[in-house]
Amino acid sequence: MLGLIFSLLVGALAGHIAGRIMGSETSAVRNIVLGILGGFVGSILFSLIGLSATGLVGEILVSVVGACVCIWIGRKLFQ
């Protein structure tokens, strides 16, 4: 249960940071979804280029990068 709460908090933080970087205001639920989805996308991207990130800061960094990619793709698809 604690791991789920931690993932939601990291996801919300990463989604919020990515939204601020990309200049889009989002709701708290969308921040969580973006952060969690961004974690998956970011880890795939990092593994494709041969990098790995460990620890809390690494997890947030991977999630933020992935969430930024998700926001960018969403903008391109739904213009």
Side-chain angles (χ1 to χ4, degrees):
M1 186 66 174
L2 187 61
L4 176 65
I5 293 170
F6 179 74
S7 294
L8 292 176
L9 291 175
V10 168
L13 178 64
H16 177 74
I17 293 169
R20 300 289 283 185
I21 290 171
M22 298 298 287
S24 69
E25 291 297 321
T26 59
S27 66
V29 173
R30 187 169 179 205
N31 284 342
I32 292 171
V33 170
L34 274 174
I36 292 172
L37 181 62
F40 292 119
V41 171
S43 61
I44 290 170
L45 291 173
F46 273 51
S47 66
L48 285 175
I49 59 175
L51 294 175
S52 64
T54 58
L56 177 62
V57 174
E59 185 176 343
I60 292 173
L61 176 68
V62 167
S63 296
V64 168
V65 168
C68 286
V69 169
C70 291
I71 291 171
W72 181 77
I73 290 172
R75 285 182 181 170
K76 293 295 180 187
L77 290 176
F78 301 112
Q79 280 185 347

